Amino acid sequence: MNKLKNMIKKNIVEKTECIYQNAWEYKLHACKMVEGTTKKMRYSFWIETPEGEFSEAITVSLAKCMNKTAFEWLYDYEGGFIRDDIMAVRLAFRQYDSLAKVHSVFDRVDIDLVYQELCEIAESKLEDEVITIRDGYYNIAVKEFKELVAELDCDYKVLEIKKKFKELGILRVNSGRAYDYTMTDKDGNPYKVISIKKIEEEGVMAA
């Protein structure tokens, strides 16, 4: 888990610029991006705590960075941001925007690292009997899988992860099903799971 979080943190630090720090030492990081298909300009922001932890990305258009309520969303986040901070952030953003490098995309951590970390979490929960192993696959209830992804705290959505795992051939599905697999309990009752190829060793999938 620390490996994934460190990669995400490294990515944010390298691709963004800290444009503001308030009196409580909370920092606001910014990244200027252009969408590959629409060519629309977007801005992503992260709040960094004094302990070095980052919030999820907040992505908005240029218009929302320039209107009369710009950056008032900071009030909803941890950090004790006040009116003076908002005014200062608006000024700092204008200075940043005039000089900022434009990124075509904001790089993500590799999906194979997400896979490894997800398998590590699954392995740690085997004793709780919320996840089972059968035929070399972790079998995770659909609801539980969403919770595992939330624990990863990565920038992939649940559906994106399932799609990419399927493309890589590490997601087992039934014929005609998009992303789930049907199993039966000890009483013969069917239930659906997300079935992911097990990693025996780091970077090595079970045969």
Side-chain angles (χ1 to χ4, degrees):
M1 181 66 68
N2 288 336
K3 185 177 181 182
L4 179 58
K5 286 188 174 181
N6 287 339
M7 284 292 292
I8 294 171
K9 184 183 295 186
K10 180 175 181 290
N11 201 21
I12 294 172
V13 171
E14 289 181 351
K15 301 295 183 181
T16 69
E17 182 176 334
C18 176
I19 65 172
Y20 184 74
Q21 177 175 315
N22 72 3
W24 305 105
E25 297 185 353
Y26 282 81
K27 299 176 181 178
L28 182 65
H29 292 256
C31 180
K32 184 176 184 178
M33 302 174 293
V34 61
E35 293 182 350
T37 53
T38 65
K39 303 301 180 182
K40 290 182 179 179
M41 197 66 67
R42 291 286 184 268
Y43 297 81
S44 284
F45 300 92
W46 291 260
I47 298 168
E48 181 185 2
T49 70
E51 295 74 31
E53 298 297 324
F54 286 88
S55 71
E56 293 184 1
I58 304 101
T59 302
V60 298
S61 64
L62 176 60
K64 290 186 177 181
C65 293
M66 304 297 286
N67 64 24
K68 62 182 181 180
T69 62
F71 296 100
E72 289 186 3
W73 48 263
L74 283 168
Y75 292 137
D76 299 327
Y77 285 81
E78 178 184 358
F81 291 94
I82 61 175
R83 187 65 183 173
D84 288 348
D85 293 316
I86 303 303
M87 300 301 289
V89 167
R90 290 173 181 171
L91 176 60
F93 173 77
R94 286 177 172 81
Q95 295 172 340
Y96 159 79
D97 186 46
S98 65
L99 301 172
K101 176 182 177 181
V102 179
H103 295 270
S104 57
V105 293
F106 188 83
D107 296 337
R108 289 172 158 183
V109 295
D110 292 337
I111 193 66
D112 61 342
L113 180 56
V114 174
Y115 170 51
Q116 291 176 29
E117 295 287 343
L118 192 62
C119 287
E120 287 182 16
I121 296 176
E123 192 71 32
S124 71
K125 293 181 179 290
L126 290 176
E127 293 181 1
D128 299 332
E129 298 184 351
V130 296
I131 296 171
T132 62
I133 296 177
R134 188 182 300 178
D135 303 324
Y137 284 81
Y138 291 110
N139 301 295
I140 310 165
V142 174
K143 181 180 178 181
E144 181 68 22
F145 183 74
K146 292 180 180 179
E147 294 175 356
L148 294 190
V149 173
E151 285 187 42
L152 286 175
D153 194 25
C154 67
D155 54 357
Y156 287 95
K157 304 298 183 184
V158 173
L159 183 57
E160 288 180 307
I161 290 176
K162 289 190 288 189
K163 284 182 176 179
K164 288 184 177 293
F165 282 4
K166 188 175 182 180
E167 290 171 2
L168 292 170
I170 57 178
L171 182 71
R172 177 171 60 169
V173 300
N174 295 112
S175 176
R177 300 296 300 176
Y179 306 111
D180 56 42
Y181 185 77
T182 301
M183 300 186 68
T184 54
D185 61 22
K186 60 182 179 181
D187 297 319
N189 300 311
Y191 64 98
K192 296 187 184 302
V193 298
I194 305 301
S195 191
I196 301 171
K197 188 74 172 175
K198 184 179 183 295
I199 293 182
E200 295 289 359
E201 299 175 5
E202 185 171 349
V204 180
M205 290 184 289

